[in-house]
Amino acid sequence: MARATLTISSKNYSSWSLRGWLLCRMAGLDVQEQVMPLDDPSTKAELLLLSPSFLVPCLTHDGARVWDTLAIAEYLAELKPKAGILPSDRIQRAHCRAIAGEMHSGFYNLRSALPMNLRAHYPDFKVWNGALPDIDRIVTIWRECLTASGGPFLFGAKPTVADAMYAPVCTRFVTYDVKLDAPCKAYCQTILAWAPMAEWIAAAKSEPEELEELDVEF
C-alpha cells in the first residue's frame, strides 16, 4: 500500500493536527509528516481562529487528498475497517459519529478561551464564563459514554474516532487546571497516558517555535 503524507502544523498548538495524526495512528496507516511553519499566514490564521476553514491536517494517500478531520476519519475507517476506529455496534457507531461531529462543529467558546498549548500550565486558571457551558456539555458527553461503555475510553476498551476528537480537550483541561469529577479526570489521565498521545506531547514540548499570541501570560 502506498505511503501517505499527513500535512500538519504545530504539535504544541494545533488541536486539529493532533486529531488527524491520532486517527492515522489508530488506523495503522504509515504516514510521512509534512509540517507547515508557524510563520505561514494560513497556519497562523487557523491557530488564532481567524480562518473559517481548517486546511490542516491534510492526508494525501494513493491519489486521494483529504483535509477535513471527520472526512479523514471516514476515509481511514473505509480504508482500514479492521482497525476499529469506529465502534462495530450500529448504535454505538451512530453515537460516536454524533459526538465527534459535535466537537467538529461546536464548542467555539472553549476553543477561544482555552487554546491548546501543551507546554503551558496555568494553575487555578479562572475560566471565562462563556466557556463554562461548553465544558459542562463536554463532561456530560464523557459521563454518558463512560457509564454506558465502562471505559476506559469513551466506547470501551479501545480508542475510537470520538477519543481522537476529544483528546485535545483533555490537554486543555490540564493546561488550564479545569476541575473535573473522578470519572472525567480518570478519562483525561487515560488519554494522556495513551502511547500515541505521550509521543505527540513529547514532540510538542521540544518544538523550538513559539506563537507569541498564544504564549501570553493569562
Side-chain angles (χ1 to χ4, degrees):
M1 187 171 288
R3 191 173 187 190
T5 298
L6 186 71
T7 303
I8 60 175
S9 58
S10 168
K11 288 190 173 181
N12 187 57
Y13 303 111
S14 178
S15 59
W16 292 110
S17 294
L18 170 57
R19 291 177 176 109
W21 187 86
L22 286 175
L23 288 166
C24 290
R25 279 302 182 92
M26 290 161 57
L29 183 66
D30 183 24
V31 296
Q32 179 177 352
E33 295 176 22
Q34 182 175 354
V35 182
M36 296 179 67
L38 279 181
D39 59 5
D40 180 88
S42 61
T43 299
K44 205 165 188 177
E46 289 180 6
L47 293 175
L48 295 175
L49 305 182
L50 300 176
S51 173
S53 61
F54 297 94
L55 301 181
V56 292
C58 180
L59 176 65
T60 305
H61 173 257
D62 198 22
R65 184 172 178 269
V66 194
W67 62 90
D68 177 90
T69 309
L70 284 186
I72 290 172
E74 292 294 342
Y75 179 80
L76 292 172
E78 181 180 340
L79 182 71
K80 302 273 190 147
K82 293 182 179 179
I85 68 171
L86 285 169
S88 57
D89 178 79
R90 176 180 62 87
I91 303 300
Q92 290 185 349
R93 192 162 59 249
H95 190 189
C96 179
R97 284 185 165 119
I99 64 171
E102 190 170 348
M103 172 51 65
H104 186 267
S105 61
F107 304 113
Y108 182 84
N109 286 337
L110 175 74
R111 301 183 205 284
S112 58
L114 309 178
M116 189 170 100
N117 188 338
L118 296 175
R119 288 196 294 259
H121 183 226
Y122 303 105
D124 299 316
F125 182 78
K126 184 171 175 54
V127 178
W128 172 52
N129 284 340
L132 294 178
D134 283 356
I135 293 173
D136 289 344
R137 174 57 188 155
I138 287 167
V139 299
T140 295
I141 289 170
W142 289 359
R143 289 185 196 121
E144 290 175 351
C145 288
L146 294 168
T147 298
S149 71
F153 295 98
L154 292 178
F155 288 90
K158 292 180 58 179
T160 64
V161 169
D163 298 288
M165 293 299 290
Y166 285 87
V169 176
C170 295
T171 74
R172 286 174 159 104
F173 286 174
V174 170
T175 295
Y176 299 98
D177 201 22
V178 175
K179 302 300 185 283
L180 301 170
D181 62 14
C184 291
K185 186 175 181 179
Y187 174 66
C188 283
Q189 291 171 343
T190 294
I191 291 296
L192 295 174
W194 181 22
M197 276 294 293
E199 179 183 345
W200 178 278
I201 291 169
K205 290 184 176 180
S206 67
E207 268 187 354
E209 296 181 289
E210 291 186 356
L211 189 60
E212 184 178 352
E213 294 92 330
L214 291 178
D215 270 308
V216 297
E217 288 293 333
F218 283 86

